[in-house]
């Protein structure tokens, strides 16, 4: 919707992205509403994490994924690029880096949360990095 709005109103090629955290035990929630999950104005990461942890409670199914989709409209043709990182929601916050749900999301294959891994590692393995690499590869072929 964001890319389509810019394209339709300004008649230029553009791209936009959106990211969501999908938690299996919550039927994919918060999904596209991740930034506004706890309601209210703006993006309250602490409130969002509190709500997510409360809703999960003691549920043993803590599997989750971050999904980013980049929509590119190039010469009136829409193309999308998806990046996914699988992981789990841990029970307590760990780490001081990053933003959003990073302190409670531990990617598969790591013993640290995104907030503990630091920007260098996170930026190499993240959902946004995967989607961006796909976008870049597509643009380099053109």
């Amino acid at each position: 919707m964001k890319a389509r709005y810019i394209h339709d109103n300004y008649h230029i090629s553009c791209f936009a992205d959106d990211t969501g955290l999908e938690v299996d035990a919550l039927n994919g929630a918060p999904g596209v509403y991740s930034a506004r999950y706890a309601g209210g104005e703006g993006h309250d990461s602490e409130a969002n994490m509190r709500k997510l942890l409360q809703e999960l409670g003691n549920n043993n199914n803590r599997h989750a994924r971050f999904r980013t989709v980049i929509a590119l409209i190039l010469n009136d043709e829409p193309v999308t690029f998806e990046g996914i990182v699988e992981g789990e929601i841990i029970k307590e916050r760990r780490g001081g880096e990053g933003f959003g749900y990073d302190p409670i999301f531990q990617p598969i294959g790591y013993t640290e949360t995104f907030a503990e891994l630091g920007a260098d590692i996170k930026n190499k393995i993240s959902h946004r990095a995967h989607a961006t690499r796909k976008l870049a590869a597509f643009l380099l072929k053109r």
Side-chain angles (χ1 to χ4, degrees):
M1 287 176 27
K2 293 184 270 187
R4 178 62 58 201
Y5 177 86
I6 295 298
H7 179 268
D8 290 351
N9 286 282
Y10 298 99
H11 311 290
I12 59 173
S13 295
C14 63
F15 70 92
D17 76 303
D18 212 343
T19 295
L21 175 66
E22 302 170 349
V23 180
D24 289 356
L26 302 178
N27 298 314
V32 295
Y33 302 105
S34 293
R36 302 173 302 281
Y37 190 50
E41 293 293 318
H43 307 286
D44 186 340
S45 296
E46 288 299 318
N48 289 337
M49 284 189 284
R50 271 194 310 275
K51 179 177 179 178
L52 181 67
L53 291 172
Q54 180 180 10
E55 289 190 356
L56 272 176
N58 290 323
N59 192 319
N60 289 327
N61 178 7
R62 302 184 80 80
H63 186 258
R65 75 198 50 76
F66 272 114
R67 181 187 311 266
T68 293
V69 176
I70 298 174
L72 169 69
I73 302 177
L74 186 63
N75 302 322
D76 298 324
E77 294 294 323
V79 185
T80 59
F81 307 91
E82 182 178 72
I84 296 174
V85 171
E86 301 285 342
E88 69 175 316
I89 303 300
I90 63 170
K91 294 187 177 188
E92 294 181 5
R93 296 169 187 79
R94 292 195 329 239
E97 303 246 349
F99 60 93
Y101 297 92
D102 287 358
I104 60 171
F105 183 81
Q106 183 174 308
I108 290 176
Y110 292 84
T111 57
E112 300 89 5
T113 65
F114 268 172
E116 293 173 305
L117 287 172
D120 287 344
I121 295 173
K122 181 187 170 193
N123 289 339
K124 289 177 184 168
I125 67 168
S126 78
H127 42 292
R128 285 186 184 91
H130 292 303
T132 302
R133 280 193 290 275
K134 290 176 183 177
L135 168 64
F138 175 84
L139 292 172
L140 287 170
K141 290 179 185 177
R142 299 200 51 93

